[in-house]
Amino acid sequence: MGPYLAFLSVKYEVDPEEFLSALVKAGENKKSSCGPISIECRGEINAKKIFLMTNDFGVLAQFRVPEEFLLERDNPLGKFLETDKIRRYLSRKKREAISHAVKDLQSGMNHVSLKAKILEVPEPSRVVTRYGNYARVAKALIGDETGTIRLCLWNEQIGSVSVGDTVQIENARASLFRGERQLSIGTRGLLTNVKDFDSQITPTDSPAVEA
């Protein structure tokens, strides 16, 4: 069980000991959180607790943990971080961290990194999040020399960019919404303005978008 939980902590970029503590807390109180991850205990079967992990993008994993494992004292997950599975995962993730081109983005891609120009920032809409809070969202149009895609900007992100800016996006997720590709930047993602972008794409180069 330890190696599997250690792998999940690495995959979803949370501290392994905090992750274990959050599981114990969820087992006792039904719910807890660890960084951007929400953990819910869905019940127990054969002395194994069933945990559901979610974040802003949806379900991450569901798994069973023996109750005796959670009750075990001095049980650090950090000692399982040197497994072959984790090393292979980190090696693959490093290879995938190269900068992408817009034309190559497909729904379901994670850890997307790319440089693009802001082509359009529409007026933001006011929405209610899954947690019942109000937020502002604007689907900006960005592009490089290979194509364009929508970028979901939330709250303070909206005012941080303007048409004509060049941005570097790290650790984003590509998805499909109503037939249109879009990028989302979660709490682990990064959006920064950069200079010296060679692409000559302009707003008039972008395809028409249906309202």
Side-chain angles (χ1 to χ4, degrees), residues 36-200:
I37 297 176
S38 298
I39 304 174
E40 179 182 354
C41 182
R42 305 296 297 274
E44 184 176 334
I45 298 178
N46 298 326
K48 293 182 178 180
K49 292 187 180 294
I50 304 171
F51 293 101
L52 177 70
M53 287 173 46
T54 61
N55 67 3
D56 290 340
F57 297 123
V59 174
L60 300 178
Q62 181 167 290
F63 50 92
R64 299 179 184 181
V65 180
E67 189 169 1
E68 63 181 12
F69 182 88
L70 296 174
L71 297 177
E72 189 178 324
R73 291 185 177 182
D74 192 24
N75 187 17
L77 290 183
K79 64 184 179 182
F80 299 107
L81 293 178
E82 295 301 320
T83 64
D84 289 340
K85 183 176 183 179
I86 289 178
R87 283 195 290 266
R88 288 195 300 268
Y89 172 77
L90 292 176
S91 177
R92 183 175 71 252
K93 183 178 177 181
K94 185 177 181 180
R95 293 195 301 270
E96 292 174 352
I98 61 174
S99 184
H100 296 85
V102 169
K103 70 177 181 63
D104 297 325
L105 300 183
Q106 299 180 16
S107 177
M109 289 179 63
N110 295 302
H111 307 296
V112 172
S113 298
L114 69 117
K115 185 186 290 185
K117 181 173 286 188
I118 301 291
L119 305 178
E120 174 188 319
V121 182
E123 285 295 319
S125 301
R126 194 165 183 245
V127 299
V128 179
T129 69
R130 57 184 296 187
Y131 302 107
N133 302 319
Y134 286 100
R136 294 187 307 138
V137 60
K139 292 190 176 182
L141 186 68
I142 64 172
D144 61 12
E145 64 272 14
T146 69
T148 60
I149 191 171
R150 289 288 172 180
L151 173 65
C152 294
L153 299 174
W154 292 88
N155 298 321
E156 65 275 4
Q157 289 179 339
I158 299 172
S160 69
V161 298
S162 302
V163 172
D165 288 349
T166 297
V167 293
Q168 179 69 41
I169 298 167
E170 304 287 345
N171 204 25
R173 181 178 185 271
S175 60
L176 201 64
F177 182 73
R178 295 181 179 176
E180 185 178 36
R181 294 183 307 159
Q182 65 178 27
L183 280 177
S184 300
I185 304 173
T187 55
R188 295 283 179 174
L190 184 66
L191 174 69
T192 54
N193 275 297
V194 296
K195 298 179 181 180
D196 302 324
F197 188 49
D198 294 329
S199 174
Q200 298 300 313

